[in-house]
Amino acid sequence: MKLNAIQVKETMKQLGAQVLPDGHPAVPQLNDLFGDHTFFVDESGLKVLEPTDSSEMESRTGEVVSLADWSDPELTSLRAHEPEPTGVIVVFEPIKH
């Protein structure tokens, strides 16, 4: 899922992850591999959010999905794997109009 600026800030705050900016050289390749997402990296690897909205929820939510793990101790190289839901849910505050 592609996030807006407010959602990116909420995700970073809740996950402690850093966002890969759209201008990062790896983003076009990541989009080719995984689709159009906002990508995050943390100490364990590469993550995205997938929507988990239900009609019962007032706030929008997204589940963190792991796409790749670091393959070296220096955290310089990622090894892709099948998308793995982490069970971690990010909650976005309702947008006030």
Side-chain angles (χ1 to χ4, degrees), residues 44-63:
S44 64
L46 181 70
K47 313 282 193 294
V48 295
L49 294 182
E50 290 292 344
T52 58
D53 292 343
S54 74
S55 59
E56 300 171 9
M57 300 189 75
E58 292 181 17
S59 299
R60 292 192 54 197
T61 61
E63 181 174 12

Side-chain angles (χ1 to χ4, degrees), residues 4 11 14 21 25 27 30 32 34 38 45 49 52 59 62 67 70-71 73 75 87-90 96:
N4 65 37
T11 302
Q14 293 179 45
V27 169
L30 292 171
D32 288 345
F34 303 112
T38 302
L49 294 182
T52 58
S59 299
L67 299 176
W70 294 111
S71 61
L75 309 181
V88 175
I89 303 295
V90 173
K96 297 178 176 87

Side-chain angles (χ1 to χ4, degrees), residues 1-96:
M1 100 190 238
K2 194 74 172 163
L3 305 180
N4 65 37
I6 294 169
Q7 293 170 323
V8 167
K9 286 182 183 179
E10 282 291 319
T11 302
M12 290 172 55
K13 183 170 64 173
Q14 293 179 45
L15 286 185
Q18 296 298 312
V19 66
L20 280 181
D22 286 339
H24 189 282
V27 169
Q29 183 180 9
L30 292 171
N31 283 332
D32 288 345
L33 289 170
F34 303 112
D36 193 24
H37 288 282
T38 302
F39 295 95
F40 295 88
V41 291
D42 64 10
E43 67 279 351
S44 64
L46 181 70
K47 313 282 193 294
V48 295
L49 294 182
E50 290 292 344
T52 58
D53 292 343
S54 74
S55 59
E56 300 171 9
M57 300 189 75
E58 292 181 17
S59 299
R60 292 192 54 197
T61 61
E63 181 174 12
V64 179
V65 176
S66 174
L67 299 176
D69 296 328
W70 294 111
S71 61
D72 64 326
E74 294 79 26
L75 309 181
T76 60
S77 181
L78 288 164
R79 182 177 332 125
H81 53 71
E82 288 296 316
E84 297 174 355
T86 64
V88 175
I89 303 295
V90 173
V91 178
F92 303 115
E93 295 299 322
I95 298 174
K96 297 178 176 87

